[in-house]
Amino acid sequence: MGDQPLSIFQVSGRAMSAQLVRMNTTASNLANVGTVSSSPDAAYRTIKPVFRTAFDQASGMSTVDVEQVVTAGSEPTKRYDPGNPMADKDGNVWEAAVDETRELVDMMETARNYQNNVEVMQTAKSLIIDTLKLGR
């Protein structure tokens, strides 16, 4: 990670950044619930971030980074809908297989994780201020 040890603020900041990516992918998945396409290749697929833990030797703390964003989940669902303008020559459309419930649970979990890191930063700040007040 470098010669300088990571501070608790850097560790929490990285975790918050990772959770922000997770929240954005979840929002994208929710925005595409029920979207249809004229082919399975063009249909929306659920995306998820892949996290990687990084250990900092200098501080002895671990942090997290987003390594990549990948497609995950089920294949698009084929549905017969000849009246849909997106229908292929056989009258089929492919609907994005986004599990709305799972995405909402992920969103709540992500928000909680983000808030936990905000609280870590606030606690660390309070402890630093209290320590400085002792020196007066």
Side-chain angles (χ1 to χ4, degrees):
M1 295 239 159
D3 297 337
Q4 297 290 357
L6 290 175
S7 72
I8 190 66
F9 297 106
Q10 290 170 312
V11 171
S12 287
R14 285 184 178 191
M16 290 169 69
S17 293
Q19 292 304 321
L20 185 60
V21 171
R22 185 178 178 197
M23 183 67 78
N24 286 335
T25 58
T26 301
S28 179
N29 293 337
L30 285 170
N32 284 286
V33 169
T35 59
V36 295
S37 181
S38 58
S39 72
D41 294 334
Y44 182 83
R45 286 175 169 61
T46 303
I47 55 175
K48 297 287 180 189
V50 175
F51 297 119
R52 180 187 44 151
T53 303
F55 180 72
D56 180 45
Q57 284 288 135
S59 66
M61 291 189 279
S62 291
T63 187
V64 66
D65 294 309
V66 175
E67 190 171 79
Q68 63 181 332
V69 176
V70 298
T71 57
S74 303
E75 291 294 313
T77 307
K78 183 169 129 178
R79 185 180 72 205
Y80 183 70
D81 188 3
N84 191 312
M86 296 294 293
D88 65 6
K89 62 181 174 52
D90 298 323
N92 296 313
V93 293
W94 280 262
E95 186 174 356
V98 177
D99 184 346
E100 206 170 351
T101 304
R102 176 179 292 167
E103 296 302 323
L104 289 170
V105 169
D106 278 354
M107 187 170 278
M108 288 179 4
E109 182 180 326
T110 302
R112 286 185 187 133
N113 287 334
Y114 191 91
Q115 182 60 38
N116 288 342
N117 280 291
V118 168
E119 289 177 20
V120 164
M121 286 186 156
Q122 289 173 338
T123 301
K125 178 182 162 190
S126 292
L127 291 172
I128 289 169
I129 289 171
D130 290 345
T131 303
L132 290 173
K133 285 179 185 176
L134 288 174
R136 285 185 185 171

